[in-house]
């Protein structure tokens, strides 16, 4: 099979599922990221042959695309701000909305001189938030927690590959131990999708991304926020901030919950114009 024949195969097999432009993009992307070939060769040398192993790898990727596997899980890598991160189906594929949350935090804390700021990222997954914060603001001392040892080791690998220093810890957000530790910032993109939203979700998310990271119990959709707010009572300094990614459908309920504590609240919309982020400053 030649490079060009590979593309023809992709177009034939995927034409009912995706637009031609999208199919061509996938093909080139997979040539580069699964076969480590320069996709320009498709134009320069369309008759170049793929060897046996390459053909089997590209066909495997094609079959995954037919089943709507997200590209990031096929290649095992995702991009977040300027980071390249390894991802597995145990962790969410980092979203652009989450990049905006990081952006907000960095803007609020820019120009720090010598004061160290202690940050804890709860439910770190791939480590995207923690790693970006540690890399982009040298005054941040970042810790990150997740419930699954395999996720922690993936996040550790991502931190190492991106030369970020993070203190990782294994733990359950809903059972955080009480210690003497104090943080200046708690940040989290916890699970927040309700079961009732399943109908509107795309197959590539619903069938492949970890439900543990997406869904909340139907009878207690704010569970994770409440646990973090309780933890913040004793572990967040006065004037410290909580930064949350949130479900736009739960803004009202969240505000009702937050009123039980003592915070100044600001909201931010994502690029799609939905209220997606909150900052709570402890007063
Ligand atoms: N933003 C993700 C989605 O829409 C959900 C992330 C989360 O639950 N924290 O699929």
């Amino acid at each position: 099979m030649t490079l060009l024949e590979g593309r023809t195969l992709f177009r034939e097999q995927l034409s009912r599922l995706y637009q031609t432009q999208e199919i061509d993009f996938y093909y080139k992307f997979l040539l580069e990221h699964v076969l480590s070939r320069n996709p320009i060769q498709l134009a320069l040398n369309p008759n170049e042959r793929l060897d046996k192993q390459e053909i089997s790898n590209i066909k495997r990727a094609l079959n995954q695309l037919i089943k709507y596997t997200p590209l990031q899980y096929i290649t095992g890598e995702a991009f977040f701000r300027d980071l390249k991160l390894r991802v597995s189906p145990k962790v969410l594929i980092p979203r652009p909305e989450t990049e905006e949350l990081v952006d907000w935090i960095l803007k609020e804390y820019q120009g720090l001189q010598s004061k160290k700021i202690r940050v804890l990222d709860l439910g770190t997954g791939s480590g995207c938030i923690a790693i970006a914060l540690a890399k982009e603001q040298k005054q941040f001392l970042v810790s990150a927690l997740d419930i699954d040892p395999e996720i922690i080791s993936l996040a550790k690998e991502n931190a190492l590959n991106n030369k970020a220093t993070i203190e990782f810890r294994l733990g359950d957000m809903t059972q955080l131990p009480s210690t003497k530790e104090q943080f200046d910032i708690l940040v989290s993109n916890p699970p927040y999708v309700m079961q009732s939203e399943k109908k509107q979700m795309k197959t590539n998310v619903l069938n492949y991304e970890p439900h543990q990271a997406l869904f909340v119990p139907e009878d207690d959709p704010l569970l994770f926020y409440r646990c973090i707010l309780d933890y913040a009572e004793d572990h967040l300094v006065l004037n410290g901030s909580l930064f949350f990614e949130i479900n736009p459908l739960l803004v009202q309920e969240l505000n009702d919950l937050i009123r039980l504590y003592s915070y100044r609240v600001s909201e931010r919309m994502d690029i799609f114009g939905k209220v997606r982020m909150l900052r709570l400053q402890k007063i």
Side-chain angles (χ1 to χ4, degrees), residues 17 58 95 99 120 134 188 215 241 253 272:
L17 312 176
I58 202 83
R95 305 281 203 276
E99 293 183 319
L120 175 61
S188 186
F215 291 107
S241 284
E253 290 84 343
F272 310 107

XYZ file of all heavy atoms in Angstrom, residues 17 58 95 99 120 134 188 215 241 253 272:
92
model
N -19.041 8.633 7.688
C -18.982 9.134 9.063
C -18.456 10.555 9.184
O -18.839 11.296 10.083
C -18.086 8.222 9.913
C -18.329 6.716 9.814
C -17.314 5.951 10.637
C -19.729 6.401 10.310
N -1.723 1.574 10.696
C -2.649 2.590 10.171
C -4.052 1.999 10.042
O -5.054 2.677 10.269
C -2.130 3.198 8.831
C -2.753 4.577 8.573
C -2.389 2.317 7.626
C -2.105 5.702 9.244
N -9.621 19.966 27.748
C -10.527 20.774 26.939
C -10.050 22.227 26.850
O -9.434 22.728 27.796
C -11.915 20.823 27.590
C -12.551 19.494 27.888
C -13.152 18.908 26.633
N -14.204 17.930 26.898
C -14.006 16.645 27.165
N -12.789 16.168 27.285
N -15.034 15.828 27.341
N -8.217 25.247 29.507
C -7.101 26.160 29.219
C -7.457 27.575 29.667
O -6.619 28.305 30.185
C -6.802 26.190 27.708
C -6.265 24.881 27.177
C -5.913 24.956 25.693
O -6.684 25.568 24.919
O -4.874 24.421 25.317
N -3.148 23.643 45.162
C -3.529 22.228 45.116
C -4.582 22.025 44.029
O -5.613 22.701 44.013
C -4.086 21.780 46.479
C -4.637 20.349 46.562
C -3.572 19.290 46.243
C -5.242 20.082 47.950
N 2.409 25.130 37.083
C 3.785 25.049 37.597
C 4.787 25.593 36.577
O 5.772 26.235 36.935
C 4.125 23.612 37.958
N -9.941 23.109 40.752
C -10.477 21.802 40.376
C -11.389 21.882 39.152
O -12.151 22.827 38.991
C -11.262 21.194 41.543
O -11.651 19.870 41.216
N -19.077 12.098 35.259
C -20.426 12.096 35.819
C -20.489 12.240 37.331
O -19.615 11.764 38.056
C -21.155 10.818 35.408
C -21.468 10.803 33.944
C -20.756 9.985 33.077
C -22.432 11.650 33.423
C -21.032 9.988 31.717
C -22.710 11.663 32.061
C -22.007 10.829 31.207
N -7.927 31.695 47.128
C -8.958 31.528 46.098
C -9.212 30.077 45.730
O -8.290 29.270 45.665
C -8.547 32.254 44.817
O -8.736 33.634 44.971
N -27.602 26.550 41.402
C -27.455 25.652 42.552
C -26.108 25.860 43.243
O -26.018 25.847 44.467
C -27.565 24.178 42.110
C -28.939 23.736 41.679
C -29.249 24.068 40.215
O -28.536 24.920 39.615
O -30.216 23.504 39.683
N -17.564 29.602 24.359
C -18.880 29.372 23.779
C -19.958 30.217 24.458
O -21.146 30.041 24.208
C -19.232 27.877 23.871
C -18.132 26.990 23.355
C -17.344 26.242 24.228
C -17.858 26.936 21.994
C -16.317 25.436 23.753
C -16.825 26.136 21.510
C -16.051 25.386 22.388
